[in-house]
Amino acid sequence: MEDERYMMRITDRLTGLAFGGDYNPEQWPPEVWDEDIALMIEAAVTMVTVGVFSWAMLEPSPGYVDFGWLDDILDRLHRAGIAVDLATATASPPPWLVRTHPEILPITRDGLRLYPGSRQTWCPSSPVYREAAVTLAARMAKRYGNHPGLAMWHVGNEYGCHNAHCHCPVSTVAFRRWLAKRYGSIGALNDAWGTTFWSQRYRDFEEIHTPRLSPTFVNPTQQLDYARFSSDELLECFRAERDVLREITPEIPITTNFMVMQFSRNLDYWRWAPEVDMVSNDHYLDAADPEAHVELSFSADLTRGLAEGNPWLLMEHSTGAVNWQPRNTPKMPGQMARNSIAHIARGSEGAMFFQWRASRAGTEKFHSAMLPHAGTDSRIWREVVELGKLVANLAPIARTTVEADVAMVFDWNAWWATELDSHPSTDVRYLDRAHAWYRALWQHNITCDMVKPGESLEGYRLVIVPTLYLASEAAASEVGRFVKSGGTAVITYFSGIVDESDHVHPGAYPGAFRHLLGIRTEEFVPLRADQTIDLDIGGKADVWAEYVHLEGAEAVARFVGTPLDGWPAVTSHRFGDGTAWYVATRTDSSTTMALAHRILTASGIDTAEYGSDVEVVTRSGSGGRFRFIINHGAEDTAIGVAGHDLVTDRAVRPADTVAAGGVAVVHEAPDDGDD
Ligand code: GAL
């Protein structure tokens, strides 16, 4: 990632933070554009994303390009002082491309061809799609590379949202090519896939298929490699467009909007992030989750991890309801602002939305927007205008970075591998423990960085390793090194079990972490769907238990009741100068919270200041420290710090309050910093 490029260019066009959203003027007659721009000015919009789904409008027939309308809108936006994040428009090919090349349509694992009529109807390995997309991107770059309003390129859109997996003949050949590159020889592949099992031994790559529908479970390493391949194929599509943009417009930063959120696991973003000039992300709440704001924080922290701690950009979120969940409930008053400010607190250089004006037609007509169907006489519009002012006031935090003492190891390979079939229990889900432990930290007002397995953990005091089922030797050693030199690690069940090829680490469970944890698991005991198990420290657990032998560790909690009565449920082990904890069961939320409290205290991390509904994050830089206090609760809360509140533009003392549902961003007075 070339952070410098981003900073250099974006700050030319934007002072402060970005505020705006996807703008689809092609859905409206030009008369509406004047009103759009006037209202954007009213809402203090600084940047819009244009052209994401406009391929069919820009290239109405093969080779014929109509840039007229886009020229016009870009000029209007520029005159109004609004920067443009310009899409290469390649997310969804026009019907004519599919008509002339039906082979670009993806095929599902059970052999069904997916037809046009929605979006992203293309196979990630299709050379026809790639060539057409790169040609359009090059045309866009030549046409708009020198446009003074162009702030950055937005390549494609949410790669892999709908078309991550294709099993067509072209994909099959591409998969074989990818495997040949990964393994070098068919023998190496046979070893890695363990093909002596079930008579799966291959003589050459031509015999291999993508993991199609088969009579029963497909080889797990084949499935895992296919997930890796699918992510890489889309990355190649991104790279192809990016390279041509870089060649023609080397000074314009390039992004593509990631989908780091609970609904999305198709791409290995650790591999994607170094390829963009600036990480940007889309995030949507699960309307059914009463604590969706905690998942928001998790995703924002993970996005910051991908950006290696550098500023990133929230490219899309919603002002209210979406249209694609079973029940699309609106946001409550104030919730949109809290969501936007939470992303900014966690490193986003602004808050962008899908979309500017609610569509009249199409699938997303009931999706909320900055300008809803109800028009300007609406709560959403009033809140958008207010938020625009607030984001403008936050200009001093631009380019500051987020402070964190705690890290979590997160991995897409582990996610894919954990959720493969033929495992001890289908109830073990990768995000479950990650979210549970993150939530316990969040409720203690602790900010958490997200780290790729194997990356240095130096500088943190506590590291959480949730469900790292797939753990390389390198990843396990780094956790070991961290603990040895005085850190505290918490490792949850079904971690350290297999290597990168999904082969069980030799010896007893939890293989890669066994010595660090000072334990030996003899056997897993997945629980029935409705079964719970008591713990001697109080509280209950479900889903999972194990027969754990202590080999140097001590039992902090034990199971109560048959068949595990008296067996260790939570252990802790002094290792070098630090401590490694193991949680061998799925503790309920209050037990997880209590354990987190105990571990945080033992690690010397201060937790007490704010209530559990209050989100507190600090960004700092050469201009000082900025404490974000986001009150998700129903009670007012003390602001807890002296300084200048950028939200209200007034001096504050620690005893002043942040109203229920409100936010404060305090530029801390130098003497009151809590360093
Ligand atoms: C995103 C997408 C947008 C829009 C939005 C609706 O997945 O990038 O184009 O569809 O969701 O929530």
Side-chain angles (χ1 to χ4, degrees):
M1 188 177 348
E2 296 179 41
D3 190 47
E4 290 307 311
R5 291 158 58 97
Y6 156 63
M7 289 309 174
M8 188 178 67
R9 187 69 184 185
I10 296 284
T11 48
D12 275 0
R13 309 289 155 101
L14 289 173
T15 47
L17 304 180
F19 184 66
D22 276 28
Y23 179 35
N24 298 309
E26 67 273 23
Q27 293 179 15
W28 300 91
E31 308 84 82
V32 176
W33 301 354
D34 290 331
E35 189 194 45
D36 281 333
I37 287 175
L39 291 174
M40 284 178 193
I41 292 169
E42 187 181 328
V45 164
T46 60
M47 183 163 80
V48 288
T49 301
V50 179
V52 175
F53 291 104
S54 62
W55 191 343
M57 297 292 288
L58 288 170
E59 198 176 358
S61 50
Y64 170 72
V65 203
D66 174 14
F67 282 131
W69 65 272
L70 189 54
D71 292 350
D72 185 1
I73 200 75
L74 292 195
D75 290 347
R76 288 177 194 229
L77 288 164
H78 180 57
R79 280 197 299 273
I82 298 166
V84 171
D85 164 43
L86 186 58
T88 54
T90 55
S92 238
W96 59 254
L97 185 64
V98 178
R99 184 177 175 194
T100 41
H101 289 284
E103 74 277 13
I104 76 169
L105 293 169
I107 291 187
T108 62
R109 70 189 284 262
D110 41 1
L112 291 178
R113 195 173 274 289
L114 299 177
Y115 278 80
S118 60
R119 65 178 177 182
Q120 277 189 350
T121 46
W122 48 273
C123 154
S125 301
S126 164
V128 174
Y129 167 79
R130 281 191 204 179
E131 196 194 316
V134 168
T135 305
L136 182 59
R139 284 189 172 132
M140 296 289 279
K142 285 182 191 140
R143 181 81 175 190
Y144 299 111
N146 290 321
H147 195 285
L150 176 63
M152 65 178 157
W153 290 115
H154 180 293
V155 177
N157 189 66
E158 291 189 343
Y159 277 97
C161 179
H162 314 292
N163 65 341
H165 303 124
C166 177
H167 297 263
C168 77
V170 174
S171 298
T172 306
V173 171
F175 186 43
R176 291 172 185 155
R177 206 168 35 234
W178 183 92
L179 291 168
K181 194 165 162 214
R182 179 175 174 87
Y183 293 109
S185 72
I186 198 70
L189 176 139
N190 278 314
D191 289 346
W193 286 17
T195 54
T196 46
F197 179 80
W198 278 359
S199 181
Q200 290 171 352
R201 203 151 193 87
Y202 295 103
R203 287 174 311 156
D204 67 52
F205 287 94
E206 298 300 303
E207 292 171 356
I208 298 174
H209 292 273
T210 56
R212 301 285 294 253
L213 195 61
S214 197
T216 184
F217 305 114
V218 172
N219 182 304
T221 320
Q222 182 179 357
Q223 294 188 56
L224 187 56
D225 272 342
Y226 178 71
R228 293 168 172 147
F229 155 81
S230 300
S231 173
D232 281 0
E233 284 297 275
L234 286 165
L235 183 54
E236 284 307 316
C237 294
F238 166 76
R239 279 199 193 119
E241 286 193 44
R242 181 206 59 193
D243 290 350
V244 77
L245 294 173
R246 269 199 188 153
E247 200 184 308
I248 302 169
T249 61
E251 75 288 6
I252 304 290
I254 301 167
T255 192
T256 183
N257 45 342
F258 293 172
M259 300 171 68
V260 176
M261 60 179 126
Q262 71 286 24
F263 302 112
S264 149
R265 52 162 240 173
N266 288 340
L267 304 185
D268 178 356
Y269 287 122
W270 290 126
R271 284 172 70 77
W272 280 69
E275 305 282 345
V276 300
D277 292 329
M278 184 205 46
V279 168
S280 65
N281 194 47
D282 297 351
H283 186 269
Y284 292 94
L285 303 178
D286 178 354
D289 176 3
E291 290 191 343
H293 51 279
V294 182
E295 188 284 323
L296 179 158
S297 305
F298 180 97
S299 293
D301 284 345
L302 182 51
T303 309
R304 184 179 69 258
L306 293 167
E308 295 173 2
N310 294 308
W312 53 277
L313 182 62
L314 174 68
M315 190 61 88
E316 292 181 21
H317 71 317
S318 74
T319 59
V322 298
N323 64 291
W324 43 267
Q325 296 182 19
R327 281 159 288 276
N328 296 296
T329 51
K331 291 190 179 178
M332 298 294 284
Q335 191 181 0
M336 172 184 72
R338 288 196 301 281
N339 292 164
S340 295
I341 299 305
H343 283 289
I344 292 173
R346 293 173 189 278
S348 175
E349 289 285 283
M352 307 274 290
F353 292 90
F354 178 84
Q355 62 177 330
W356 162 252
R357 183 187 279 272
S359 302
R360 283 191 62 210
T363 306
E364 292 177 331
K365 58 184 170 297
F366 295 119
H367 195 291
S368 60
M370 298 172 82
L371 183 59
H373 290 150
T376 53
D377 187 10
S378 60
R379 175 176 66 81
I380 286 188
W381 175 254
R382 284 186 283 274
E383 289 194 17
V384 163
V385 173
E386 210 177 304
L387 180 60
K389 287 196 195 104
L390 171 51
V391 171
N393 287 349
L394 297 186
I397 66 120
R399 298 211 223 170
T400 56
T401 53
V402 176
E403 297 180 2
D405 284 335
V406 178
M408 181 177 280
V409 176
F410 188 93
D411 190 30
W412 278 272
N413 271 256
W415 188 347
W416 296 331
T418 302
E419 296 182 4
L420 285 168
D421 46 31
S422 53
H423 272 193
S425 171
T426 54
D427 295 330
V428 178
R429 311 302 296 175
Y430 180 68
L431 288 183
D432 175 70
R433 293 298 83 192
H435 282 169
W437 278 85
Y438 182 89
R439 177 178 177 274
L441 296 173
W442 192 99
Q443 294 200 331
H444 282 97
N445 313 127
I446 302 292
T447 307
C448 182
D449 281 346
M450 299 282 179
V451 179
K452 183 180 171 181
E455 295 275 296
S456 169
L457 298 169
E458 207 182 311
Y460 295 109
R461 287 150 87 176
L462 172 64
V463 170
I464 313 289
V465 185
T467 324
L468 202 67
Y469 160 75
L470 182 154
S472 65
E473 291 292 350
S477 318
E478 182 51 36
V479 181
R481 207 168 15 251
F482 165 75
V483 175
K484 203 171 201 163
S485 59
T488 301
V490 178
I491 299 174
T492 71
Y493 61 86
F494 211 42
S495 287
I497 307 300
V498 299
D499 64 13
E500 299 96 314
S501 298
D502 197 45
H503 294 200
V504 172
H505 281 292
Y509 310 132
F513 294 119
R514 186 155 59 98
H515 297 298
L516 168 63
L517 291 168
I519 56 165
R520 181 172 65 86
T521 290
E522 189 181 325
E523 197 177 0
F524 297 143
V525 188
L527 304 182
R528 290 190 313 269
D530 55 353
Q531 192 179 356
T532 59
I533 190 158
D534 291 329
L535 301 173
D536 67 352
I537 51 167
K540 287 186 184 299
D542 60 7
V543 170
W544 188 267
E546 302 175 11
Y547 291 110
V548 172
H549 295 274
L550 301 174
E551 294 194 339
E554 63 177 271
V556 173
R558 290 181 184 270
F559 293 113
V560 178
T562 49
L564 284 131
D565 198 36
W567 284 83
V570 180
T571 63
S572 107
H573 183 225
R574 282 299 292 174
F575 185 80
D577 294 333
T579 308
W581 295 68
Y582 184 60
V583 189
T585 188
R586 185 174 181 275
T587 46
D588 63 20
S589 57
S590 53
T591 309
T592 309
M593 186 73 178
L595 282 172
H597 188 79
R598 180 168 170 176
I599 294 168
L600 285 163
T601 312
S603 321
I605 300 173
D606 191 15
T607 63
E609 272 175 85
Y610 295 87
S612 63
D613 283 337
V614 183
E615 182 172 359
V616 184
V617 185
T618 302
R619 281 181 72 157
S620 57
S622 53
R625 300 178 85 218
F626 299 86
R627 192 180 301 188
F628 289 72
I629 302 122
I630 305 167
N631 187 356
H632 297 274
E635 312 272 323
D636 294 1
T637 188
I639 213 163
V641 62
H644 187 84
D645 180 12
L646 301 179
V647 176
T648 54
D649 195 18
R650 67 183 170 98
V652 288
R653 306 295 313 158
D656 290 343
T657 53
V658 184
V663 299
V665 182
V666 180
H667 188 183
E668 294 183 14
D671 288 342
D672 288 286
D674 56 3
D675 284 341

